[in-house]
Amino acid sequence: MDTHASTFPLIISVDDHTVEPAGVWQDRLPARYRDTAPRIVRAPLKEMTFLGGRFRPVMGEPGDEGPLGDWWVYEDLRRPLTRLDTAVGVDRDEVRLEVITYEQMRPGSYDVPARLADMDLNHVQSALCFPTFPRFCGQTFTEARDRELALLCVRAYNDWTVEEWCGPDARGRLIPLALIPLWDPELAAAEVRRNAARGVRAVAFSEIPPHLGLPSVHTDAWDPFLAACDETGTVVAMHIGSSSRMPSTSADAPPAVGSVITFANCCFSMVDWLLSGKFERFPNLRVMYAEGQIGWIPYILERADVVWEENRGWGGVADKVTRPPSELFAEHVHGCFFDDAFGLRNLGSIGLGNVLYETDYPHSDSTWPKSREVGEAQMGHLPADVVERIVRGNAIELLGLTPDGLWPGPA
C-alpha cells in the first residue's frame, strides 16, 4: 500500500464498479441454462446511439463490417462492453462511446489482484462496487422473461461477489453489494437475509422504482424487503441511473446535458423517501446515493421542511411523517461524492455524518489515479478529524467494516 508522504487518510470508496468476468453465470448455473444464461460473444457493432439518455446498440452478424467488441447475450438482450464502462488509463479526450473487448480494458476492471494494485496507485484502501451487466440494481434480470432463470442469475451474481470478487484474494479490501429480485419483495427479503447471514451489509435498489414498472416507496409493496434491511442492518444503496432512465431534457439532447444533471434522480428519490413515512416505520433503515454528489442537498432539505410545516395538511403526509424531513435525513440518508467543492463548503448544512467519499473507478468520471490529490484540494480547508470522517469513518460505521476499514468477511 502506497501511503506516500501525504497525511490524507486512506480512502474507502463507496462507489466503484466491476466489469463482470465472462464466466460469472456460465460457471455457476445448472448446465441446462448454459445456452440461455448470460454469456459473452465477440461480434461487430452495426450502429450505436446515446441520445436523450437512451443507449441503443445494434450487434452485427459475423462477417459484417464494424469494430469488434465483446457483447453480453441474454434472452433478447445484446449489450456490448463499451469504453464508458471502463475508461481509466485512457486519455479523457480519447474516451468515446465505442465497443471494446476485455483485452482493451484495464485489467483492474475485472481482475481482483489488478484491482487491488490500481487501488494502491490511487490511495484507496477499500471499495464497494456496483455491477455493470446486471445494471446498477439488477434491472437486467428484472426485465427478463424467465423469472426462474433470473432469480438464479441474481443469486449467482451474489455468490460470485461474496466468494470471488470479495473473496480471500481481496483481503477484505473489496466490500460486497448484493442484488435482489426486484420483481418480488418477498424473494428480495429472503435474498437480503441470505446475504446478511454471510456478512453482506449493502444491497442495490432503484432510485425511482416506478420508472422500472415497479411500485413506488409510497406503497406498502416494499415492506417485506425494507423490514429485512431494517432487521439486518443492510444499507439500501441507490446509484444514479438505477431507474434505467438518466435525466435529460429532450430526445435529441447530447449526453453532456444528462451528465451535468445526473444528480436529479437522486434529488427526486430522496424527497420520495423523506415523505414516504418509511423511515419512521423502519427506524434502523439507512439509504445512500452513489454518484449523486451533495451540493444540492441543503436546499432540498430546507424546502422539504417548509412544505412539511406549512402544507402537510393538504400535502398527504400529515398522518405518516411526524418529524421534519431534515431530522429524518440526518438519521437515515447518506450522500456520496467524488468532486463537489461546493458541497464541502456547505458541509454544515448537510451534516458531517451524512457524507461519504467515492472514486467511481473505472468510469470516465473517475478521479483515478488522483483521488487523493482531488480530495486534498477539495478538503484542504477542513480539520483533519472531519476529513477522516468523510474519507473513511462514515463508511466504516455505515457498512459495518472493521476499525481498520476492511470487510470482515463472511459471518
Side-chain angles (χ1 to χ4, degrees):
M1 176 70 67
D2 172 26
T3 58
H4 196 258
S6 169
T7 58
F8 194 76
L10 286 171
I11 297 164
I12 298 177
S13 174
V14 296
D15 172 29
D16 285 0
H17 300 265
T18 177
V19 176
E20 298 80 20
V24 168
W25 291 278
Q26 291 292 305
D27 294 346
R28 284 168 185 76
L29 296 181
R32 68 181 184 276
Y33 290 116
R34 193 159 293 142
D35 295 333
T36 53
R39 57 205 181 276
I40 286 289
V41 172
R42 186 160 292 184
L45 172 72
K46 187 173 182 180
E47 61 181 274
M48 180 163 56
T49 60
F50 187 18
L51 291 172
R54 299 287 184 177
F55 175 48
R56 295 184 178 88
V58 179
M59 188 170 79
E61 299 294 333
D64 285 352
E65 293 185 359
L68 282 177
D70 285 333
W71 298 67
W72 283 106
V73 176
Y74 172 51
E75 293 191 340
D76 296 331
L77 179 64
R78 305 290 182 268
R79 198 285 194 191
L81 297 176
T82 76
R83 179 55 68 200
L84 298 188
D85 293 326
T86 172
V88 291
V90 178
D91 185 274
R92 286 185 184 255
D93 289 338
E94 299 300 319
V95 175
R96 303 280 189 270
L97 181 59
E98 59 185 354
V99 298
I100 60 172
T101 65
Y102 280 94
E103 290 81 7
Q104 292 172 303
M105 67 177 74
R106 194 169 179 89
S109 303
Y110 58 87
D111 177 76
V112 171
R115 172 61 65 93
L116 298 186
D118 277 356
M119 290 163 63
D120 289 344
L121 288 173
N122 201 31
H123 200 69
V124 172
Q125 179 188 31
S126 306
L128 178 81
C129 298
F130 284 81
T132 297
F133 170 69
R135 313 219 297 278
F136 293 145
C137 67
Q139 303 101 297
T140 296
F141 303 124
T142 303
E143 295 167 356
R145 292 188 303 273
D146 186 337
R147 288 289 169 80
E148 179 183 0
L149 173 56
L151 179 59
L152 291 174
C153 286
V154 167
R155 290 174 174 166
Y157 177 87
N158 291 336
D159 291 345
W160 169 77
T161 296
V162 172
E163 297 165 7
E164 292 196 34
W165 183 250
C166 302
D169 288 348
R171 305 195 302 276
R173 297 180 61 190
L174 295 172
I175 306 162
L177 174 71
L179 298 180
I180 55 170
L182 287 162
W183 60 90
D184 187 322
E186 293 285 355
L187 288 176
E191 191 63 13
V192 166
R193 291 189 172 96
R194 183 176 83 93
N195 287 289
R198 50 184 179 172
V200 180
R201 290 293 177 266
V203 61
F205 190 66
S206 175
E207 60 201 352
I208 307 177
H211 286 348
L212 305 180
L214 300 169
S216 80
V217 297
H218 298 288
T219 72
D220 294 334
W222 295 107
D223 284 5
F225 162 67
L226 298 179
C229 293
D230 180 82
E231 293 164 11
T232 60
T234 299
V235 179
V236 178
M238 294 171 281
H239 195 285
I240 59 166
S242 56
S243 60
S244 297
R245 189 182 302 181
M246 293 297 287
S248 191
T249 55
S250 63
D252 59 350
V257 171
S259 185
V260 172
I261 57 175
T262 52
F263 73 92
N265 281 357
C266 296
C267 173
F268 300 157
S269 174
M270 190 180 80
V271 175
D272 255 352
W273 281 91
L274 291 176
L275 299 179
S276 69
K278 298 303 183 187
F279 293 140
E280 300 195 57
R281 291 187 56 202
F282 301 103
N284 298 315
L285 188 62
R286 312 279 283 277
V287 305
M288 58 169 270
Y289 288 101
E291 208 172 323
Q293 313 303 335
I294 59 175
W296 52 272
I297 291 174
Y299 171 71
I300 295 301
L301 294 180
E302 178 183 286
R303 178 60 183 165
D305 278 358
V306 168
V307 169
W308 176 82
E309 183 67 38
E310 303 294 337
N311 300 327
R312 65 177 178 267
W314 60 265
V317 297
D319 60 338
K320 58 184 179 180
V321 182
T322 62
R323 298 166 57 199
S326 60
E327 289 187 12
L328 298 173
F329 171 89
E331 296 175 8
H332 298 276
V333 183
H334 302 265
C336 311
F337 77 99
F338 56 79
D339 187 6
D340 194 337
F342 178 82
L344 288 168
R345 291 196 301 271
N346 293 275
L347 191 60
S349 298
I350 301 169
L352 174 57
N354 302 87
V355 175
L356 305 167
Y357 197 47
E358 60 184 60
T359 77
D360 198 29
Y361 180 105
H363 286 179
S364 60
D365 265 340
S366 178
T367 52
W368 186 92
K370 298 185 179 297
S371 298
R372 175 183 59 210
E373 291 84 348
V374 170
E376 288 174 330
Q378 293 189 59
M379 301 183 220
H381 66 291
L382 298 173
D385 61 330
V386 171
V387 176
E388 178 82 15
R389 284 279 303 277
I390 294 171
V391 173
R392 33 183 311 109
N394 289 336
I396 289 172
E397 186 275 330
L398 182 66
L399 298 172
L401 306 181
T402 69
D404 293 331
L406 301 173
W407 180 51

